[in-house]
Amino acid sequence: MLKASLRSHLTLWFTGLSLLTLLSVGFYVGHIATEQMKQASGNALLNTARSAATSLGEQLRERQLEVYMLSRAPHLERGDLDNPAILKSMQLRTQARTEYAWMGVTDAEGRVHQAVNGLLVGQSVQQRPWFQAGLRGQYTGDPHEAVLLAKLLPGMPNGEPLRFIDFAAPIHNAEGQVIGVLGAHAHWSWITRIVESAAFSHKNASPDIEALIIDNDGKVLYPEALMGQQLATNDSKSSGWSVGNGYLTSMVTVPTPSTTELSWSIALRQPLETALQPAHLLLYKLLILGVFAAVIFGVVAYYLALYLSRPIEQLARSAKQVQDNQPGAHFPLQHPVREIAQLGQSIEAMTHSLLGKERELQQANATLEATVAQRTADLMQANAELLNLATHDALTGVFNRRRFDEKLTEYSLLFRRTGRPFALLLIDADHFKRINDTHGHAVGDEVLQQLAQLIQTSLRTTDFVARYGGEEFAVLLPEISMPDTPERVAEKIRAAVAEADFATAGQVTVSVGVGLADPADNSPGNLIKRADQQLYQAKAAGRNQVASHGYSATPTQP
């Protein structure tokens, strides 16, 4: 049986082990990159979905508040539903808000007294859900196709049926009795534009991302092609992101008005193959690099084996020469036995050769260790950058919503254990949509960045600031004793913003809601709700305000 030489064994083993090592490292690194890419893409989808849900929730709250404020107008409380001033107010409102398709007032029996453009005047809407709900209180309804207005309004250019969402509020007279309902129909396309604008306005948004609006039962309301289908996710009502059915899907509940039972969610999904494409490309490159490196190592191994085997081959040939009594063998002259002298000389030469190779291998190991140390440092730096991306808002540089939720939970647990109180400030830029509409989103981003800097410079080093969503920021104050009370800190922030010069946008103001931790809270959400209610009070009081329980601050007019 023909046996392979020592040179062949060394070459095959060195090449095989290097190939196995490089492929294993390539698969491992590719797996890590895939998981990190999945995490980053899921978080990006989640942040975008949160932005879209927040924007939609704010618009719904503003329209509901708008209808409510119109229903409380003085000329309506006098009971004269045919007063021309009522129609004038509704016309001005619909001219300012193009999303309204219809607005009108009815009496308590459902007969329309006045309406914009005279639509449905004199007709009965008693059986319509918005009218029945509007008699009981403020109402925001799910989308529906037009019934009475279908013959009076032009259809959609693409042939789709007209769809509306309804807003309604009761009309009370001076004695508090319900004498009618003020109702409004908003175009469903207004809702879809808000979602699409928030979901796809980012310059790095992937064209493969799909935005969906989901109702309380998990059925698709938008887009039209998927309407009525059940969204196929692990849990259609959970907020977060998940992987399933070939998609990376993020689901966020829309913060709808508290006075209604409306329950929507925004879902953003992206094909998993698209989301993980960079990681797959990295894996392919690593595998190709591993094969190429293995070939190089094979060549190096061959010459290294050739160099290492020569002393042994020389020893074998000398031994063979001695065995075969062939001439040319060299023996030590000082040794009395020629064979022992030749063996000693060969062993000495082989020893010197191995020592030389050991020094070379030590140098190679030192170089390899330095390379590994550098790669390890690079990986640690990359991990630190990924951690920063996961906990900070990319636009403003302050902490993001995810880190805020973690910090709020941490403060709440500490409060329960030690009784050390803390406070929450919710800060919202006034009329921020007007800034975006007037100057563009680039200027809006600059305003958000300057707001974040102003808030940070107005706080102490122990305070925590995060971008809560959209143009809203959240501040946690761990120490609320005198003189740095939450109200004084909030007023300091409000004044700093009001006095600042925003290069393009001009003057910008903020409204601040202050909430204090309460031992009766059973979850951090209760504190957020109180601060959000105070923020609502500050907005309702005219904006550029600080509002907290038992405290309000109105800025001195210049």
Side-chain angles (χ1 to χ4, degrees):
M1 181 178 179
L2 184 61
K3 296 182 179 180
S5 65
L6 176 61
R7 184 187 311 172
S8 300
H9 278 291
L10 289 175
T11 302
L12 291 176
W13 275 101
F14 197 96
T15 303
L17 288 175
S18 62
L19 179 61
L20 178 62
T21 302
L22 291 171
L23 291 180
S24 299
V25 171
F27 276 112
Y28 179 70
V29 174
H31 173 73
I32 293 177
T34 299
E35 292 301 317
Q36 292 180 345
M37 182 63 66
K38 187 187 300 181
Q39 184 76 21
S41 299
N43 289 337
L45 282 179
L46 180 58
N47 290 334
T48 305
R50 283 173 175 166
S51 177
T54 300
S55 178
L56 179 56
E58 290 175 353
Q59 290 293 328
L60 290 173
R61 284 195 297 269
E62 288 185 6
R63 298 296 83 75
Q64 179 64 71
L65 178 61
E66 200 168 51
V67 171
Y68 170 74
M69 297 301 293
L70 282 175
S71 71
R72 299 299 302 274
H75 45 257
L76 285 175
E77 292 183 349
R78 299 189 189 103
D80 183 10
L81 300 181
D82 295 317
N83 190 326
I86 300 174
L87 180 60
K88 182 65 174 178
S89 297
M90 293 190 297
Q91 288 175 337
L92 291 175
R93 188 59 58 186
T94 55
Q95 289 171 2
R97 299 289 187 184
T98 58
E99 59 264 23
Y100 288 122
W102 180 86
M103 184 178 290
V105 293
T106 74
D107 55 25
E109 285 71 38
R111 185 174 66 86
V112 179
H113 280 246
Q114 296 192 78
V116 175
N117 297 326
L119 298 178
L120 304 181
V121 172
Q123 298 190 36
S124 175
V125 293
Q126 187 178 23
Q127 301 303 319
R128 303 306 300 158
W130 65 265
F131 170 76
Q132 298 175 5
L135 290 174
R136 298 187 297 269
Q138 298 182 53
Y139 171 75
T140 301
D142 281 318
H144 63 86
E145 294 186 9
V147 178
L148 298 177
L149 292 177
K151 299 179 181 180
L152 304 177
L153 294 174
M156 298 292 288
N158 55 7
E160 296 179 0
L162 289 173
R163 301 176 71 196
F164 302 103
I165 60 171
D166 300 328
F167 300 94
I171 302 173
H172 296 86
N173 60 16
E175 289 75 26
Q177 298 176 338
V178 177
I179 61 173
V181 174
L182 190 147
H185 297 337
H187 290 287
W188 175 243
S189 59
W190 165 64
I191 295 293
T192 61
R193 284 196 303 270
I194 293 174
V195 174
E196 289 179 351
S197 175
F200 305 119
S201 60
H202 197 275
K203 63 181 180 180
N204 295 325
S206 173
D208 294 332
I209 295 178
E210 186 178 12
L212 300 91
I213 304 177
I214 313 299
D215 65 10
N216 186 48
D217 298 326
K219 293 183 179 179
V220 178
L221 298 175
Y222 170 81
E224 191 75 22
L226 303 177
M227 188 172 65
Q229 296 185 16
Q230 194 79 23
L231 183 63
T233 60
N234 295 336
D235 184 358
S236 62
K237 296 183 180 180
S238 64
S239 293
W241 60 269
S242 61
V243 177
N245 298 316
Y247 284 94
L248 186 65
T249 305
S250 173
M251 178 82 70
V252 177
T253 301
V254 177
T256 51
S258 59
T259 56
T260 70
E261 297 181 357
L262 192 67
S263 180
W264 291 349
S265 297
I266 299 298
L268 293 182
R269 67 180 187 178
Q270 183 181 25
L272 190 60
E273 183 65 26
T274 302
L276 301 183
Q277 186 177 12
H280 291 164
L281 291 177
L282 175 61
L283 176 60
Y284 298 149
K285 292 179 180 179
L286 289 175
L287 294 179
I288 294 174
L289 179 62
V291 173
F292 180 75
V295 173
I296 299 299
F297 284 157
V299 175
V300 174
Y302 173 78
Y303 285 102
L304 181 61
L306 178 62
Y307 184 75
L308 291 175
S309 64
R310 278 177 176 174
I312 300 177
E313 292 172 356
Q314 180 63 42
L315 176 61
R317 286 195 297 269
S318 298
K320 183 64 174 176
Q321 285 178 330
V322 172
Q323 180 182 356
D324 296 340
N325 294 321
Q326 294 180 357
H330 299 282
F331 300 96
L333 297 177
Q334 70 275 17
H335 200 283
V337 180
R338 290 187 308 172
E339 291 82 5
I340 295 176
Q342 182 186 13
L343 182 60
Q345 187 178 16
S346 298
I347 292 175
E348 182 183 4
M350 184 176 61
T351 301
H352 288 305
S353 177
L354 289 177
L355 289 176
K357 298 312 298 180
E358 183 179 358
R359 285 192 296 270
E360 292 181 7
L361 288 175
Q362 287 176 351
Q363 294 176 355
N365 286 337
T367 303
L368 181 60
E369 289 176 358
T371 302
V372 171
Q374 180 62 38
R375 295 293 185 270
T376 303
D378 294 342
L379 181 58
M380 292 178 64
Q381 181 179 358
N383 288 336
E385 293 174 355
L386 287 175
L387 179 61
N388 183 68
L389 289 175
T391 58
H392 286 73
D393 178 59
L395 175 63
T396 62
V398 298
F399 289 104
N400 57 21
R401 174 65 180 274
R402 175 184 178 186
R403 181 58 183 145
F404 167 77
D405 292 338
E406 295 173 352
K407 201 69 174 179
L408 179 58
T409 301
E410 177 184 330
Y411 279 12
S412 298
L413 293 176
L414 184 63
F415 176 54
R416 292 181 184 177
R417 187 170 64 250
T418 65
R420 179 181 299 174
F422 69 97
L424 168 64
L425 309 183
L426 287 183
I427 306 168
D428 187 81
D430 297 329
H431 303 296
F432 185 75
K433 183 177 183 299
R434 183 185 302 167
I435 296 175
N436 279 338
D437 293 343
T438 304
H439 304 285
H441 289 280
V443 174
D445 290 347
E446 293 176 0
V447 169
L448 290 178
Q449 291 170 344
Q450 188 171 350
L451 280 177
Q453 293 176 357
L454 289 171
I455 293 172
Q456 283 184 307
T457 55
S458 301
L459 297 176
R460 303 163 300 183
T461 57
T462 57
D463 299 332
F464 178 90
V465 59
R467 186 180 179 188
Y468 193 71
E471 67 271 20
E472 193 169 359
F473 295 85
V475 175
L476 290 173
L477 305 176
E479 299 292 340
I480 60 174
S481 59
M482 294 295 291
D484 295 326
T485 63
E487 291 80 6
R488 293 191 62 178
V489 174
E491 176 59 23
K492 181 180 179 182
I493 294 172
R494 184 207 64 74
V497 175
E499 296 171 0
D501 180 24
F502 291 79
T504 304
Q507 185 183 25
V508 176
T509 62
V510 295
S511 298
V512 186
V514 181
L516 299 178
D518 193 317
D521 290 343
N522 53 18
S523 71
N526 294 334
L527 176 57
I528 296 177
K529 183 180 296 185
R530 287 197 298 276
D532 190 57
Q533 289 173 349
Q534 296 303 321
L535 177 60
Y536 177 83
Q537 293 295 330
K539 291 284 187 180
R543 296 179 171 84
N544 194 18
Q545 305 274 335
V546 173
S548 67
H549 185 69
Y551 172 85
S552 64
T554 304
T556 303
Q557 298 297 328

